[in-house]
Coordinates of all heavy atoms in Angstrom, one line a residue:
A1195 N -5.8 10.8 2.7 CA -6.6 11.3 1.5 C -5.7 12.3 0.8 O -5.7 12.4 -0.5 CB -7.9 12.0 2.0
H1196 N -5.0 13.2 1.5 CA -4.1 14.2 0.9 C -3.1 13.5 0.0 O -2.8 13.9 -1.2 CB -3.4 15.0 1.9 CG -2.2 15.8 1.4 ND1 -2.4 17.1 0.9 CD2 -0.9 15.5 1.2 CE1 -1.2 17.5 0.4 NE2 -0.3 16.6 0.6
E1197 N -2.4 12.4 0.5 CA -1.4 11.7 -0.3 C -2.0 11.0 -1.5 O -1.4 11.1 -2.6 CB -0.7 10.7 0.6 CG 0.3 11.3 1.6 CD 1.5 12.0 1.0 OE1 1.3 13.1 0.5 OE2 2.6 11.4 1.0
I1198 N -3.2 10.4 -1.4 CA -3.8 9.7 -2.5 C -4.2 10.8 -3.6 O -3.9 10.6 -4.8 CB -5.0 8.9 -2.0 CG1 -4.6 7.9 -1.0 CG2 -5.7 8.3 -3.2 CD1 -5.8 7.1 -0.4
Q1199 N -4.8 11.9 -3.1 CA -5.2 12.9 -4.0 C -4.0 13.5 -4.8 O -4.0 13.7 -6.0 CB -5.9 14.0 -3.3 CG -6.5 15.1 -4.2 CD -7.7 14.6 -5.0 OE1 -8.7 14.2 -4.4 NE2 -7.6 14.5 -6.3
S1200 N -2.9 13.7 -4.0 CA -1.7 14.3 -4.7 C -1.2 13.3 -5.7 O -0.8 13.7 -6.8 CB -0.5 14.4 -3.7 OG -0.9 15.2 -2.6
A1201 N -1.1 12.0 -5.4 CA -0.6 11.0 -6.4 C -1.5 11.1 -7.7 O -1.0 11.1 -8.8 CB -0.6 9.6 -5.8
F1202 N -2.8 11.1 -7.5 CA -3.7 11.1 -8.7 C -3.4 12.4 -9.5 O -3.3 12.4 -10.7 CB -5.2 11.1 -8.3 CG -5.7 9.6 -8.1 CD1 -6.1 9.2 -6.9 CD2 -5.7 8.8 -9.2 CE1 -6.5 7.9 -6.7 CE2 -6.2 7.5 -9.1 CZ -6.6 7.0 -7.8
D1203 N -3.3 13.5 -8.7 CA -3.1 14.8 -9.5 C -1.8 14.9 -10.2 O -1.7 15.5 -11.3 CB -3.2 16.0 -8.4 CG -4.6 16.1 -7.8 OD1 -5.5 15.4 -8.4 OD2 -4.7 16.8 -6.8
Y1204 N -0.8 14.2 -9.8 CA 0.5 14.1 -10.5 C 0.6 13.0 -11.5 O 1.6 12.8 -12.1 CB 1.6 13.9 -9.5 CG 2.0 15.1 -8.7 CD1 2.0 15.1 -7.3 CD2 2.5 16.3 -9.3 CE1 2.4 16.2 -6.5 CE2 2.8 17.4 -8.5 CZ 2.8 17.4 -7.2 OH 3.2 18.4 -6.4
G1205 N -0.5 12.2 -11.6 CA -0.5 11.1 -12.5 C 0.4 10.0 -12.0 O 1.0 9.3 -12.8
A1206 N 0.6 9.9 -10.7 CA 1.6 9.0 -10.1 C 0.9 7.9 -9.2 O 1.6 7.2 -8.5 CB 2.6 9.8 -9.4
F1207 N -0.4 7.8 -9.3 CA -1.0 6.9 -8.3 C -0.8 5.4 -8.8 O -0.9 5.1 -9.9 CB -2.6 7.1 -8.3 CG -3.2 6.1 -7.3 CD1 -3.3 6.4 -6.0 CD2 -3.7 4.9 -7.8 CE1 -3.9 5.5 -5.1 CE2 -4.3 4.0 -6.9 CZ -4.4 4.3 -5.6
G1208 N -0.4 4.6 -7.8 CA -0.1 3.2 -8.1 C -1.0 2.2 -7.3 O -1.8 1.5 -7.8
S1209 N -0.8 2.2 -6.0 CA -1.4 1.2 -5.1 C -1.4 1.7 -3.7 O -0.9 2.8 -3.4 CB -0.7 -0.1 -5.2 OG -1.4 -1.2 -4.8
L1210 N -2.1 1.0 -2.8 CA -2.2 1.4 -1.4 C -1.8 0.4 -0.4 O -2.1 -0.8 -0.6 CB -3.7 1.8 -1.1 CG -4.3 2.9 -1.9 CD1 -5.8 3.1 -1.6 CD2 -3.6 4.3 -1.6
D1211 N -1.2 0.8 0.7 CA -1.0 0.0 1.9 C -2.0 0.6 2.9 O -1.8 1.7 3.4 CB 0.4 0.1 2.4 CG 1.4 -0.9 1.7 OD1 0.9 -1.5 0.7 OD2 2.5 -1.0 2.2
I1212 N -3.1 -0.2 3.1 CA -4.3 0.4 3.7 C -4.4 0.3 5.2 O -5.4 0.0 5.8 CB -5.5 -0.3 3.0 CG1 -6.8 0.5 3.1 CG2 -5.7 -1.7 3.3 CD1 -6.9 1.6 2.1
N1213 N -3.2 0.4 5.9 CA -3.3 0.3 7.4 C -3.6 1.7 8.0 O -4.1 2.6 7.4 CB -1.9 -0.2 7.9 CG -0.8 0.7 7.5 OD1 -1.0 1.9 7.1 ND2 0.4 0.2 7.5
Q1214 N -3.4 1.8 9.3 CA -3.5 3.1 10.0 C -2.6 3.2 11.2 O -2.2 2.1 11.7 CB -4.9 3.4 10.4 CG -5.4 2.7 11.6 CD -6.7 3.2 12.2 OE1 -7.8 3.2 11.5 NE2 -6.7 3.8 13.4
G1215 N -2.2 4.4 11.6 CA -1.4 4.6 12.7 C -2.2 4.9 14.0 O -3.4 4.8 13.9
D1216 N -1.5 5.2 15.0 CA -2.1 5.6 16.3 C -1.9 7.1 16.4 O -0.8 7.5 16.4 CB -1.5 4.8 17.4 CG -2.2 5.1 18.8 OD1 -2.5 6.3 19.0 OD2 -2.3 4.1 19.5
P1217 N -3.0 7.8 16.5 CA -2.8 9.3 16.6 C -2.0 9.8 17.8 O -1.6 10.9 17.8 CB -4.3 9.9 16.6 CG -5.1 8.7 17.0 CD -4.4 7.4 16.6
H1218 N -1.8 8.9 18.8 CA -1.2 9.4 20.0 C 0.3 9.1 20.1 O 1.0 9.4 21.0 CB -1.9 8.7 21.2 CG -3.3 9.1 21.3 ND1 -4.3 8.1 21.1 CD2 -3.9 10.3 21.4 CE1 -5.5 8.8 21.1 NE2 -5.3 10.0 21.3
N1219 N 0.8 8.3 19.1 CA 2.3 8.2 19.1 C 2.9 8.3 17.7 O 2.1 8.2 16.7 CB 2.7 6.9 19.8 CG 2.2 5.7 19.1 OD1 1.8 5.7 17.9 ND2 2.1 4.6 19.8
G1220 N 4.2 8.6 17.6 CA 4.8 9.0 16.3 C 5.6 7.9 15.7 O 6.6 8.1 15.1
W1221 N 5.1 6.6 15.7 CA 5.8 5.6 14.9 C 4.8 4.8 14.1 O 3.6 5.0 14.2 CB 6.8 4.8 15.7 CG 6.2 3.9 16.8 CD1 5.8 2.7 16.6 CD2 6.0 4.3 18.2 NE1 5.4 2.2 17.8 CE2 5.5 3.1 18.8 CE3 6.2 5.4 18.9 CZ2 5.1 3.1 20.1 CZ3 5.9 5.4 20.3 CH2 5.4 4.2 20.9
D1222 N 5.4 3.8 13.4 CA 4.6 3.1 12.4 C 4.0 1.9 13.1 O 4.6 0.8 13.2 CB 5.6 2.6 11.3 CG 5.0 2.2 10.0 OD1 3.8 2.6 9.8 OD2 5.6 1.6 9.2
T1223 N 2.8 2.1 13.6 CA 2.1 1.0 14.4 C 1.5 0.0 13.5 O 1.1 -1.1 14.0 CB 1.1 1.6 15.4 OG1 0.2 2.4 14.8 CG2 1.8 2.4 16.5

Side-chain angles (χ1 to χ4, degrees):
H1196 166 90
E1197 288 292 79
I1198 298 173
Q1199 186 70 62
S1200 304
F1202 274 114
D1203 293 347
Y1204 284 122
F1207 180 84
S1209 197
L1210 298 174
D1211 277 8
I1212 197 84
N1213 58 18
Q1214 73 169 64
D1216 184 318
H1218 303 110
N1219 59 23
W1221 65 89
D1222 202 15
T1223 55

